[in-house]
Amino acid sequence: MADRYDAVVVGSGPNGLAAAITLAQAGRSVVVFEAASTIGGGMRSAELTLPGFVHDVCSAIHPLAKASPFFAGLGLERHGLEWIEPPVQLAHPLDDGSAALVWRDLEQTAAGLEGDGAAYRRLIGPTVRGWNGLIGDVLAPFHIPLQPARAFRLARFGLDALQPARWLVRSLREPQARGLFAGAAAHSMLRLGEPISGAAGIIFLSSTHAVGWPIAARGSSHLADALSAVLHEAGGEVVTDRRIEALEELPPHRAVLFDVTPKQLLAITGAHFRDGYANRLRSYRYGPGIFKVDLALDGPIPWRNPAVAEAGTVHLGGTFEEIAAGETAVSRGRMPERPFVLLAQHSLFDASRAPEGKHTVWAYCHVPNGSTEDASEKIINQIERFAPGVRDRIIGRHVMGPAALEAYDANYVGGDINGGRQDLGQLFTRPGIRIDPYSTPDPALFICSSSTPPGGGVHGMCGHHAARSALRGVLR
Ligand SMILES: Cc1cc2nc3c(=O)[nH]c(=O)nc-3n(C[C@H](O)[C@H](O)[C@H](O)COP(=O)(O)OP(=O)(O)OC[C@H]3O[C@@H](n4cnc5c(N)ncnc54)[C@H](O)[C@@H]3O)c2cc1C
């Protein structure tokens, strides 16, 4: 370790690593301190159930990483990252045995939605067609682009995205397309009648066609490893097993970038910030939590509709109305009997994830923040509902509720995987209202986690933008 660094980054999640890479590639000396014994935050993989079964501990499906303009420029494939794209990006089965199937091709998907094909094309098509010119402006702090074409595209997207999912779905008639949109919108973890809940529906469905919903071959930890290799190549250093609890623990530096959420930032900085900013951090709101189950199976999931086995990701929650009711219950602090479940079946497409003939299942549902209820049976019941007999194939099980997730990674406060609620009042102005959301009243301290724009997910754009803010300021 050196005696002095231009920048110290606290936390090695995708945003911490993106911040460190941005700074190191700009010629600044950087060290990253990570509390856990391995790097990666939400990008780790482990044999959670049985030997030979590789599960993604947190993130598992990577449309946002694939879409990230910052990651795209790093050449991560040179460092062993390999994306695997299942033939069907996303499946949404219903009780009658039918399923909405989302293919990479928009037209093929629309054709499968029969009566709703044209409406789906109208809802998703403009964002898919404008994707390359739009995504950099969406995965960024709030701004108005100077070029008229870009500004128009962003405004056009915003008109739809600001709406509640419940309004946007009015153009769809059949339960397949309506359920499909509900599942994508539920990634927002908002009530589907809330403003801006439609944004997740549009972005996530558009991303299936624009970039796909890939998995990382051999596990999400290979994305973390590739980022770490780029950082080391640029001269950055990483120290693991080092939880930072106070500013005084840091080596001499010109700037610190915190890949932590407001709760930890307050604990680390103590009385450093005056009341105004400290109060803003204190009043920051966290969203619902999640409850996760990883399963080892002695065969594939026996889907009632065999086409669902072609999909990397499966949304289990039935109709729009059922998913909307479940998300409303969760946001009001109640656990629904049939929660909306997000499921991924990696081993069908990546043989390295399980012994021959065996399979992995990654699944979670939304729960009230800090919930202590064991939701694993409710999750398994939802899988069984669309795949009768799956229960008999379970040979290993690993569960993580909100408390376990927060113990694993302190950023998952109460099980919230997005670093704070992403509603209209907090999506653009996280962690508080400031012209530069990454800055703090101390010009040497920055926040770079998913508690800053553009928010949750593995894309690294919060870290990249925070580092650019430091490079415009104290690290100029
Ligand atoms: C179960 C689960 C499933 C998910 N699925 C997906 C998915 O499929 N796709 C997707 O895009 N996103 C997914 N996410 C969300 C995604 O993982 C997060 O939004 C993303 O990792 C946030 O990145 P970050 O860098 O802000 O924070 P994190 O990835 O949480 O990283 C923060 C890092 O900082 C470290 N740290 C915290 N405090 C300190 C301290 N005081 N000192 C030192 N180190 C510290 C932590 O140990 C951690 O390594 C999922 C998350 C979970 C938990």
Side-chain angles (χ1 to χ4, degrees):
M1 271 192 63
D3 294 340
R4 187 179 172 81
Y5 292 89
D6 289 322
V8 174
V9 176
V10 177
S12 71
N15 289 311
L17 291 175
I21 291 169
T22 305
L23 296 172
Q25 290 188 334
R28 307 302 187 270
S29 57
V30 188
V31 61
V32 180
F33 289 116
E34 167 54 49
S37 52
T38 54
I39 58 149
M43 307 177 290
R44 299 192 185 104
S45 312
E47 293 183 335
L48 295 177
T49 53
L50 296 171
F53 290 79
V54 179
H55 302 272
D56 286 334
V57 184
C58 302
S59 69
I61 304 293
H62 290 292
L64 295 174
K66 190 83 188 298
S68 165
F70 177 65
F71 285 177
L74 295 178
L76 296 171
E77 289 77 6
R78 278 188 301 122
H79 297 287
L81 176 66
E82 190 192 327
W83 292 124
I84 298 177
E85 214 180 284
V88 173
Q89 310 295 325
L90 167 66
H92 190 108
L94 293 180
D95 289 318
D96 64 1
S98 66
L101 301 177
V102 182
W103 304 85
R104 180 70 181 268
D105 186 54
L106 174 65
E107 287 308 319
Q108 190 178 2
T109 306
L113 292 173
E114 293 172 7
D116 282 322
Y120 181 81
R121 219 181 276 116
R122 273 196 302 277
L123 191 57
I124 304 301
T127 307
V128 178
R129 284 191 295 277
W131 184 267
N132 290 337
L134 181 70
I135 195 65
D137 287 321
V138 171
L139 293 180
F142 181 75
H143 64 290
I144 299 170
L146 293 177
Q147 292 117 307
R150 264 176 64 193
F152 177 77
R153 209 181 287 118
L154 189 59
R156 162 82 185 71
F157 166 75
L159 281 178
D160 279 348
L162 284 170
Q163 296 184 37
R166 188 176 286 286
W167 291 8
L168 291 177
V169 87
R170 282 184 308 203
S171 63
L172 303 169
R173 289 195 311 259
E174 305 296 332
Q176 289 80 5
R178 289 170 58 84
L180 176 67
F181 192 80
H187 282 249
S188 66
M189 296 175 84
L190 300 174
R191 282 176 281 115
L192 301 191
E194 261 184 87
I196 219 162
S197 57
I202 294 176
I203 280 290
F204 280 108
L205 284 176
S206 302
S207 67
T208 59
H209 307 300
V211 290
W213 280 23
I215 60 175
R218 294 164 287 125
S220 291
S221 58
H222 288 267
L223 175 55
D225 292 345
L227 288 168
S228 165
V230 173
L231 175 60
H232 283 102
E233 204 173 56
E237 296 172 35
V238 179
V239 178
T240 51
D241 288 310
R242 185 78 178 273
R243 182 179 300 280
I244 301 301
E245 283 169 340
L247 288 175
E248 297 69 36
E249 295 169 20
L250 300 173
H253 57 264
R254 291 165 63 205
V256 190
L257 289 87
F258 290 97
D259 184 13
V260 306
T261 80
K263 181 182 168 190
Q264 302 128 276
L265 186 61
L266 275 167
I268 295 170
T269 51
H272 190 76
F273 294 123
R274 287 179 187 278
D275 279 353
Y277 189 70
N279 284 340
R280 245 178 279 164
L281 296 181
R282 262 181 227 114
S283 58
Y284 187 73
R285 290 169 292 119
Y286 290 92
I290 69 158
F291 191 101
K292 180 167 184 261
V293 181
D294 288 283
L295 300 174
L297 303 185
D298 72 358
I301 302 178
W303 297 110
R304 184 182 291 126
N305 182 330
V308 178
E310 299 284 299
T313 307
V314 187
H315 285 165
L316 304 172
T319 61
F320 179 93
E321 286 68 27
E322 184 182 328
I323 295 172
E327 294 303 297
T328 298
V330 166
S331 72
R332 296 199 171 134
R334 282 184 285 109
M335 189 59 206
E337 210 31 56
R338 299 212 291 191
F340 170 59
V341 171
L342 300 89
L343 179 147
Q345 35 187 6
H346 294 87
S347 54
L348 288 175
F349 314 99
D350 178 359
S352 73
R353 302 284 188 127
E356 207 184 328
K358 313 277 188 242
H359 287 280
T360 59
V361 177
W362 169 104
Y364 72 80
C365 70
H366 300 161
V367 300
N369 190 285
S371 167
T372 53
E373 178 178 330
D374 182 342
S376 51
E377 279 305 306
K378 287 183 173 172
I379 292 177
I380 293 168
N381 285 344
Q382 283 287 59
I383 309 174
E384 182 80 25
R385 173 178 164 193
F386 301 100
V390 70
R391 194 181 285 281
D392 301 333
R393 297 197 175 172
I394 299 173
I395 53 175
R397 180 193 300 209
H398 179 270
V399 302
M400 282 173 106
L405 281 162
E406 192 173 340
Y408 177 77
D409 178 340
N411 284 26
Y412 303 137
V413 178
D416 177 353
I417 65 173
N418 288 323
R421 201 163 195 274
Q422 305 197 123
D423 56 15
L424 194 54
Q426 229 178 219
L427 183 59
F428 305 111
T429 54
R430 49 211 289 120
I433 299 175
R434 286 179 78 76
I435 290 173
D436 176 352
Y438 310 99
S439 70
T440 70
D442 181 335
L445 303 188
F446 297 82
I447 178 162
C448 72
S449 71
S450 60
S451 302
T452 60
V458 172
H459 45 67
M461 295 306 291
C462 313
H464 175 61
H465 286 296
R468 286 177 53 172
S469 166
L471 288 169
R472 284 193 302 271
V474 68
L475 294 181
R476 205 175 17 230

